[in-house]
Amino acid sequence: MVLGSATAASVSYPLALGAAIWAAYGERWWLVALWSSAGGAAYALSGRRWMHTYRGDPAAHARGESLAWLALVTAAAVGGLAALALNA
């Protein structure tokens, strides 16, 4: 999965992380476990889907996501974490 850079992995993992952190601030520990598990499952399923697609046509899917997209998703995740930290 090109180091977890497929679109689904790049979006699902930070979203689950943010949701788990939000649940931790609310002291809802069962939700932390739920969101953490959901994020890991989404990451794993994304990798499985990417591998299946890649094996179907390796030349078309050999590249990872664009650097601009990864930077945008990272900025959104950092912004969400900053918002959570400021509201605590």
Side-chain angles (χ1 to χ4, degrees):
M1 203 169 53
V2 192
L3 300 176
S5 63
T7 303
S10 297
V11 173
S12 65
Y13 201 78
L15 286 176
L17 174 65
I21 291 171
W22 168 78
Y25 277 121
E27 296 184 14
R28 294 179 180 92
W29 303 111
W30 65 274
L31 272 177
V32 173
L34 178 72
W35 283 115
S36 298
S37 298
Y43 191 88
L45 290 173
S46 171
R48 186 175 176 175
R49 189 177 124 237
W50 185 89
M51 185 59 75
H52 177 71
T53 303
Y54 174 78
R55 287 181 178 160
D57 186 10
H61 301 286
R63 297 180 308 133
E65 296 297 324
S66 72
L67 186 57
W69 173 249
L70 293 176
L72 179 66
V73 170
T74 301
V78 169
L81 288 175
L84 283 173
L86 292 174
N87 288 326

